Amino acid sequence: MLGSLNLDLVVSVEAHPHPGDTVLGSDVRTFPGGKGANQAVAAALAGGRVGMLGRIGRDSYGAQLRAALEGSGVEVGALLETSGPSGTAFITVDRHGENTIVVSPGANRRLAPCDVTADHFGGVGVLLLQLESPLETVARATELATERGAIVILNAAPVAPLENALLERLSLLVVNEGEAAALAGLSGTEGAVAAAERLQERGAEAVVVTLGGEGTLWRTPQGGGSLAAHPVEVVDTTAAGDAFCGALAARLAQGESLEAALHFANAAGALAVTRPGAQPSLPTRAETEKFLAQGA
């Protein structure tokens, strides 16, 4: 796993403020987060053996972030420290469980291409990345992991322009509907299937598009399919995508087919929205299997 680590500062509000508004919220709650760390924990809880490469600051937040990973079974030997603050995310959650997030990258911004070496990928079966780390570092990691024969998965969030050369190194691109349209250069009215196919034309071997309450679809060179969303009571959507991506990577690393891994990941993402916070909301393998066994 290569990616970001943030301490999340979360406030619940009745409704999100508009520009110029002041609204009252709940007491601040703190949770370990960051897309990279969330997905690392999600993968570990799903049964994967996971190591984390990223940067934290030499501050109290950094110590909390390291401890949270270790407590979830994630290996932190490749976790680097830098002077200055750790990454921080400021999150508001409304009464419907929908969130808005402002990220201050802090130490994450300092994860450089030179921090990533071929030695990091010895024995690695799957590399999962996101875009809260510098793009040049993400690109370097995809090069090295591809050379070592790893499955390379990019969750292109937050969305940013990507070169075709990077897309061509991906085994799997995971995006939501808006991200898919932006990367494909479409308006969004053409639909997720068209966006996925355009991204394949640009070089991605396979594409998964998450559709929130509408489920998930995928396209591979052999075809594609879709899964409906699980009906659950939404409490907080903060880490739903991270639960999905981490669980997906773990199951692929265990040798499952893409369709079977997506079935599991779809359930893990659904469970995550029923709980508050980022990492505290992530389900274990046993919880997800029980959810599926109940016919959810």
PDB file of all heavy atoms in Angstrom, residues 12 20 32 55 64 72 91 96-97 100 104 132 144 149 154 170 179 194 198 206 219 226 229 233 239-240 259 269 272:
ATOM      1  N   SER A  12     -20.369  16.691  13.365  1.00  0.00           N
ATOM      2  CA  SER A  12     -21.696  16.433  12.812  1.00  0.00           C
ATOM      3  C   SER A  12     -22.502  17.719  12.793  1.00  0.00           C
ATOM      4  O   SER A  12     -22.458  18.508  13.753  1.00  0.00           O
ATOM      5  CB  SER A  12     -22.429  15.381  13.654  1.00  0.00           C
ATOM      6  OG  SER A  12     -21.762  14.141  13.604  1.00  0.00           O
ATOM      7  N   GLY A  20     -20.351  31.658   3.335  1.00  0.00           N
ATOM      8  CA  GLY A  20     -20.801  32.762   4.164  1.00  0.00           C
ATOM      9  C   GLY A  20     -21.605  32.343   5.375  1.00  0.00           C
ATOM     10  O   GLY A  20     -21.854  33.164   6.268  1.00  0.00           O
ATOM     11  N   PRO A  32      -8.331   8.164  13.155  1.00  0.00           N
ATOM     12  CA  PRO A  32      -7.257   7.977  12.176  1.00  0.00           C
ATOM     13  C   PRO A  32      -7.861   7.790  10.792  1.00  0.00           C
ATOM     14  O   PRO A  32      -8.883   7.116  10.636  1.00  0.00           O
ATOM     15  CB  PRO A  32      -6.552   6.703  12.655  1.00  0.00           C
ATOM     16  CG  PRO A  32      -7.589   5.968  13.450  1.00  0.00           C
ATOM     17  CD  PRO A  32      -8.460   7.022  14.076  1.00  0.00           C
ATOM     18  N   ARG A  55       4.156   8.908   4.528  1.00  0.00           N
ATOM     19  CA  ARG A  55       4.877   9.818   5.422  1.00  0.00           C
ATOM     20  C   ARG A  55       3.943  10.399   6.473  1.00  0.00           C
ATOM     21  O   ARG A  55       2.810  10.777   6.171  1.00  0.00           O
ATOM     22  CB  ARG A  55       5.531  10.969   4.635  1.00  0.00           C
ATOM     23  CG  ARG A  55       6.871  10.614   4.031  1.00  0.00           C
ATOM     24  CD  ARG A  55       7.654  11.843   3.591  1.00  0.00           C
ATOM     25  NE  ARG A  55       8.975  11.490   3.088  1.00  0.00           N
ATOM     26  CZ  ARG A  55      10.048  11.353   3.854  1.00  0.00           C
ATOM     27  NH1 ARG A  55       9.955  11.545   5.169  1.00  0.00           N
ATOM     28  NH2 ARG A  55      11.208  11.019   3.311  1.00  0.00           N
ATOM     29  N   GLN A  64      -0.270   8.917  16.631  1.00  0.00           N
ATOM     30  CA  GLN A  64      -1.591   8.276  16.639  1.00  0.00           C
ATOM     31  C   GLN A  64      -1.822   7.473  15.358  1.00  0.00           C
ATOM     32  O   GLN A  64      -2.391   6.368  15.396  1.00  0.00           O
ATOM     33  CB  GLN A  64      -2.685   9.337  16.776  1.00  0.00           C
ATOM     34  CG  GLN A  64      -2.718  10.034  18.126  1.00  0.00           C
ATOM     35  CD  GLN A  64      -3.805  11.092  18.173  1.00  0.00           C
ATOM     36  OE1 GLN A  64      -4.988  10.811  18.023  1.00  0.00           O
ATOM     37  NE2 GLN A  64      -3.398  12.343  18.376  1.00  0.00           N
ATOM     38  N   SER A  72      -4.132  -2.387  13.862  1.00  0.00           N
ATOM     39  CA  SER A  72      -4.980  -3.086  12.887  1.00  0.00           C
ATOM     40  C   SER A  72      -4.224  -4.163  12.128  1.00  0.00           C
ATOM     41  O   SER A  72      -4.774  -4.766  11.210  1.00  0.00           O
ATOM     42  CB  SER A  72      -5.574  -2.075  11.897  1.00  0.00           C
ATOM     43  OG  SER A  72      -6.398  -1.147  12.567  1.00  0.00           O
ATOM     44  N   ILE A  91     -13.683  17.297   8.472  1.00  0.00           N
ATOM     45  CA  ILE A  91     -14.848  16.614   7.897  1.00  0.00           C
ATOM     46  C   ILE A  91     -16.123  17.065   8.598  1.00  0.00           C
ATOM     47  O   ILE A  91     -16.189  17.085   9.839  1.00  0.00           O
ATOM     48  CB  ILE A  91     -14.703  15.094   8.033  1.00  0.00           C
ATOM     49  CG1 ILE A  91     -13.411  14.618   7.350  1.00  0.00           C
ATOM     50  CG2 ILE A  91     -15.917  14.363   7.459  1.00  0.00           C
ATOM     51  CD1 ILE A  91     -13.091  13.150   7.586  1.00  0.00           C
ATOM     52  N   HIS A  96     -27.979  13.242   6.982  1.00  0.00           N
ATOM     53  CA  HIS A  96     -28.185  12.134   6.053  1.00  0.00           C
ATOM     54  C   HIS A  96     -26.961  11.221   5.947  1.00  0.00           C
ATOM     55  O   HIS A  96     -26.969  10.257   5.189  1.00  0.00           O
ATOM     56  CB  HIS A  96     -28.529  12.669   4.662  1.00  0.00           C
ATOM     57  CG  HIS A  96     -29.735  13.561   4.636  1.00  0.00           C
ATOM     58  ND1 HIS A  96     -30.998  13.116   4.959  1.00  0.00           N
ATOM     59  CD2 HIS A  96     -29.849  14.883   4.344  1.00  0.00           C
ATOM     60  CE1 HIS A  96     -31.853  14.117   4.852  1.00  0.00           C
ATOM     61  NE2 HIS A  96     -31.188  15.193   4.489  1.00  0.00           N
ATOM     62  N   GLY A  97     -25.885  11.563   6.687  1.00  0.00           N
ATOM     63  CA  GLY A  97     -24.663  10.792   6.619  1.00  0.00           C
ATOM     64  C   GLY A  97     -23.720  11.197   5.506  1.00  0.00           C
ATOM     65  O   GLY A  97     -22.664  10.595   5.322  1.00  0.00           O
ATOM     66  N   THR A 100     -18.609  16.386   3.773  1.00  0.00           N
ATOM     67  CA  THR A 100     -17.707  17.250   3.008  1.00  0.00           C
ATOM     68  C   THR A 100     -16.353  17.178   3.703  1.00  0.00           C
ATOM     69  O   THR A 100     -16.277  17.091   4.934  1.00  0.00           O
ATOM     70  CB  THR A 100     -18.177  18.717   2.953  1.00  0.00           C
ATOM     71  OG1 THR A 100     -18.194  19.262   4.281  1.00  0.00           O
ATOM     72  CG2 THR A 100     -19.574  18.815   2.349  1.00  0.00           C
ATOM     73  N   SER A 104      -5.705  18.835   4.533  1.00  0.00           N
ATOM     74  CA  SER A 104      -4.418  19.530   4.588  1.00  0.00           C
ATOM     75  C   SER A 104      -3.344  18.456   4.528  1.00  0.00           C
ATOM     76  O   SER A 104      -3.133  17.730   5.508  1.00  0.00           O
ATOM     77  CB  SER A 104      -4.301  20.332   5.889  1.00  0.00           C
ATOM     78  OG  SER A 104      -3.011  20.888   6.018  1.00  0.00           O
ATOM     79  N   GLU A 132      -3.968  11.004  -3.088  1.00  0.00           N
ATOM     80  CA  GLU A 132      -3.674  11.991  -2.047  1.00  0.00           C
ATOM     81  C   GLU A 132      -2.175  12.125  -1.824  1.00  0.00           C
ATOM     82  O   GLU A 132      -1.743  12.921  -0.993  1.00  0.00           O
ATOM     83  CB  GLU A 132      -4.377  11.619  -0.735  1.00  0.00           C
ATOM     84  CG  GLU A 132      -5.870  11.899  -0.754  1.00  0.00           C
ATOM     85  CD  GLU A 132      -6.547  11.679   0.579  1.00  0.00           C
ATOM     86  OE1 GLU A 132      -5.981  10.997   1.454  1.00  0.00           O
ATOM     87  OE2 GLU A 132      -7.669  12.181   0.740  1.00  0.00           O
ATOM     88  N   LEU A 144       7.665   0.660 -10.797  1.00  0.00           N
ATOM     89  CA  LEU A 144       8.444  -0.350 -10.091  1.00  0.00           C
ATOM     90  C   LEU A 144       7.610  -1.596  -9.801  1.00  0.00           C
ATOM     91  O   LEU A 144       8.108  -2.728  -9.919  1.00  0.00           O
ATOM     92  CB  LEU A 144       8.992   0.242  -8.789  1.00  0.00           C
ATOM     93  CG  LEU A 144      10.025   1.353  -8.960  1.00  0.00           C
ATOM     94  CD1 LEU A 144      10.366   1.974  -7.608  1.00  0.00           C
ATOM     95  CD2 LEU A 144      11.287   0.820  -9.624  1.00  0.00           C
ATOM     96  N   GLY A 149       5.976  -7.421 -11.465  1.00  0.00           N
ATOM     97  CA  GLY A 149       4.876  -8.320 -11.771  1.00  0.00           C
ATOM     98  C   GLY A 149       3.684  -8.233 -10.844  1.00  0.00           C
ATOM     99  O   GLY A 149       2.834  -9.133 -10.831  1.00  0.00           O
ATOM    100  N   LEU A 154      -5.231   1.406  -8.949  1.00  0.00           N
ATOM    101  CA  LEU A 154      -5.267   2.824  -8.613  1.00  0.00           C
ATOM    102  C   LEU A 154      -6.701   3.239  -8.345  1.00  0.00           C
ATOM    103  O   LEU A 154      -7.573   3.091  -9.203  1.00  0.00           O
ATOM    104  CB  LEU A 154      -4.694   3.681  -9.744  1.00  0.00           C
ATOM    105  CG  LEU A 154      -4.812   5.198  -9.543  1.00  0.00           C
ATOM    106  CD1 LEU A 154      -3.996   5.651  -8.322  1.00  0.00           C
ATOM    107  CD2 LEU A 154      -4.382   5.964 -10.786  1.00  0.00           C
ATOM    108  N   LEU A 170      -1.744   0.116 -15.278  1.00  0.00           N
ATOM    109  CA  LEU A 170      -2.720  -0.300 -14.278  1.00  0.00           C
ATOM    110  C   LEU A 170      -3.377  -1.620 -14.648  1.00  0.00           C
ATOM    111  O   LEU A 170      -3.838  -1.812 -15.768  1.00  0.00           O
ATOM    112  CB  LEU A 170      -3.800   0.766 -14.109  1.00  0.00           C
ATOM    113  CG  LEU A 170      -3.345   2.168 -13.702  1.00  0.00           C
ATOM    114  CD1 LEU A 170      -4.555   3.078 -13.554  1.00  0.00           C
ATOM    115  CD2 LEU A 170      -2.530   2.121 -12.416  1.00  0.00           C
ATOM    116  N   GLU A 179     -15.612  10.817 -11.067  1.00  0.00           N
ATOM    117  CA  GLU A 179     -14.197  10.672 -11.405  1.00  0.00           C
ATOM    118  C   GLU A 179     -14.020  10.003 -12.765  1.00  0.00           C
ATOM    119  O   GLU A 179     -13.154  10.402 -13.549  1.00  0.00           O
ATOM    120  CB  GLU A 179     -13.505   9.855 -10.312  1.00  0.00           C
ATOM    121  CG  GLU A 179     -13.430  10.576  -8.974  1.00  0.00           C
ATOM    122  CD  GLU A 179     -13.274   9.650  -7.786  1.00  0.00           C
ATOM    123  OE1 GLU A 179     -13.313   8.404  -7.962  1.00  0.00           O
ATOM    124  OE2 GLU A 179     -13.121  10.169  -6.664  1.00  0.00           O
ATOM    125  N   ALA A 194     -19.950   4.121 -20.691  1.00  0.00           N
ATOM    126  CA  ALA A 194     -19.182   4.811 -21.732  1.00  0.00           C
ATOM    127  C   ALA A 194     -17.869   5.337 -21.177  1.00  0.00           C
ATOM    128  O   ALA A 194     -16.821   5.266 -21.839  1.00  0.00           O
ATOM    129  CB  ALA A 194     -20.006   5.947 -22.326  1.00  0.00           C
ATOM    130  N   ARG A 198     -14.099   4.237 -22.356  1.00  0.00           N
ATOM    131  CA  ARG A 198     -13.134   5.241 -22.808  1.00  0.00           C
ATOM    132  C   ARG A 198     -11.818   5.118 -22.044  1.00  0.00           C
ATOM    133  O   ARG A 198     -10.733   5.255 -22.639  1.00  0.00           O
ATOM    134  CB  ARG A 198     -13.733   6.637 -22.622  1.00  0.00           C
ATOM    135  CG  ARG A 198     -12.803   7.792 -22.993  1.00  0.00           C
ATOM    136  CD  ARG A 198     -12.614   7.920 -24.493  1.00  0.00           C
ATOM    137  NE  ARG A 198     -13.854   8.211 -25.173  1.00  0.00           N
ATOM    138  CZ  ARG A 198     -14.384   9.435 -25.288  1.00  0.00           C
ATOM    139  NH1 ARG A 198     -13.755  10.488 -24.773  1.00  0.00           N
ATOM    140  NH2 ARG A 198     -15.515   9.610 -25.944  1.00  0.00           N
ATOM    141  N   ALA A 206      -8.547  -2.854 -16.837  1.00  0.00           N
ATOM    142  CA  ALA A 206      -9.907  -3.067 -16.347  1.00  0.00           C
ATOM    143  C   ALA A 206     -10.316  -1.842 -15.534  1.00  0.00           C
ATOM    144  O   ALA A 206      -9.470  -1.166 -14.932  1.00  0.00           O
ATOM    145  CB  ALA A 206      -9.985  -4.324 -15.498  1.00  0.00           C
ATOM    146  N   ARG A 219     -15.714  -3.217 -16.138  1.00  0.00           N
ATOM    147  CA  ARG A 219     -15.408  -3.604 -17.508  1.00  0.00           C
ATOM    148  C   ARG A 219     -13.988  -4.160 -17.548  1.00  0.00           C
ATOM    149  O   ARG A 219     -13.062  -3.577 -16.985  1.00  0.00           O
ATOM    150  CB  ARG A 219     -15.525  -2.407 -18.462  1.00  0.00           C
ATOM    151  CG  ARG A 219     -16.956  -1.965 -18.723  1.00  0.00           C
ATOM    152  CD  ARG A 219     -17.713  -3.008 -19.523  1.00  0.00           C
ATOM    153  NE  ARG A 219     -19.094  -2.653 -19.791  1.00  0.00           N
ATOM    154  CZ  ARG A 219     -20.126  -2.923 -18.991  1.00  0.00           C
ATOM    155  NH1 ARG A 219     -19.917  -3.532 -17.830  1.00  0.00           N
ATOM    156  NH2 ARG A 219     -21.354  -2.588 -19.331  1.00  0.00           N
ATOM    157  N   SER A 226     -22.319  -5.937 -13.392  1.00  0.00           N
ATOM    158  CA  SER A 226     -22.719  -4.945 -12.407  1.00  0.00           C
ATOM    159  C   SER A 226     -23.248  -5.633 -11.163  1.00  0.00           C
ATOM    160  O   SER A 226     -23.654  -6.801 -11.200  1.00  0.00           O
ATOM    161  CB  SER A 226     -23.787  -4.009 -12.982  1.00  0.00           C
ATOM    162  OG  SER A 226     -24.971  -4.739 -13.294  1.00  0.00           O
ATOM    163  N   ALA A 229     -26.439  -2.142  -5.150  1.00  0.00           N
ATOM    164  CA  ALA A 229     -26.031  -1.729  -3.814  1.00  0.00           C
ATOM    165  C   ALA A 229     -26.849  -2.484  -2.766  1.00  0.00           C
ATOM    166  O   ALA A 229     -27.992  -2.865  -3.007  1.00  0.00           O
ATOM    167  CB  ALA A 229     -26.225  -0.232  -3.648  1.00  0.00           C
ATOM    168  N   GLU A 233     -28.895   1.308   6.359  1.00  0.00           N
ATOM    169  CA  GLU A 233     -29.141   2.633   6.938  1.00  0.00           C
ATOM    170  C   GLU A 233     -27.831   3.401   6.980  1.00  0.00           C
ATOM    171  O   GLU A 233     -26.869   2.970   7.621  1.00  0.00           O
ATOM    172  CB  GLU A 233     -29.724   2.499   8.344  1.00  0.00           C
ATOM    173  CG  GLU A 233     -30.069   3.837   8.984  1.00  0.00           C
ATOM    174  CD  GLU A 233     -30.710   3.692  10.347  1.00  0.00           C
ATOM    175  OE1 GLU A 233     -31.077   2.554  10.713  1.00  0.00           O
ATOM    176  OE2 GLU A 233     -30.829   4.716  11.043  1.00  0.00           O
ATOM    177  N   ALA A 239     -15.767   6.625   4.784  1.00  0.00           N
ATOM    178  CA  ALA A 239     -14.765   5.641   4.341  1.00  0.00           C
ATOM    179  C   ALA A 239     -15.362   4.526   3.487  1.00  0.00           C
ATOM    180  O   ALA A 239     -14.729   3.480   3.321  1.00  0.00           O
ATOM    181  CB  ALA A 239     -14.059   5.045   5.550  1.00  0.00           C
ATOM    182  N   ALA A 240     -16.537   4.745   2.927  1.00  0.00           N
ATOM    183  CA  ALA A 240     -17.172   3.679   2.143  1.00  0.00           C
ATOM    184  C   ALA A 240     -16.292   3.243   0.978  1.00  0.00           C
ATOM    185  O   ALA A 240     -16.082   2.046   0.744  1.00  0.00           O
ATOM    186  CB  ALA A 240     -18.532   4.144   1.635  1.00  0.00           C
ATOM    187  N   GLU A 259     -14.761 -10.680 -10.226  1.00  0.00           N
ATOM    188  CA  GLU A 259     -16.186 -10.638  -9.885  1.00  0.00           C
ATOM    189  C   GLU A 259     -16.430 -11.062  -8.440  1.00  0.00           C
ATOM    190  O   GLU A 259     -17.208 -10.434  -7.719  1.00  0.00           O
ATOM    191  CB  GLU A 259     -16.988 -11.517 -10.837  1.00  0.00           C
ATOM    192  CG  GLU A 259     -18.488 -11.429 -10.600  1.00  0.00           C
ATOM    193  CD  GLU A 259     -19.304 -12.109 -11.687  1.00  0.00           C
ATOM    194  OE1 GLU A 259     -18.705 -12.572 -12.689  1.00  0.00           O
ATOM    195  OE2 GLU A 259     -20.533 -12.169 -11.548  1.00  0.00           O
ATOM    196  N   GLY A 269     -18.113  -2.191   1.640  1.00  0.00           N
ATOM    197  CA  GLY A 269     -18.445  -0.774   1.507  1.00  0.00           C
ATOM    198  C   GLY A 269     -19.791  -0.444   2.110  1.00  0.00           C
ATOM    199  O   GLY A 269     -19.971   0.620   2.734  1.00  0.00           O
ATOM    200  N   ALA A 272     -19.553  -0.288   5.923  1.00  0.00           N
ATOM    201  CA  ALA A 272     -18.809   0.874   6.412  1.00  0.00           C
ATOM    202  C   ALA A 272     -19.704   2.096   6.606  1.00  0.00           C
ATOM    203  O   ALA A 272     -19.468   2.900   7.512  1.00  0.00           O
ATOM    204  CB  ALA A 272     -17.662   1.209   5.468  1.00  0.00           C
TER     205      ALA A 272
END
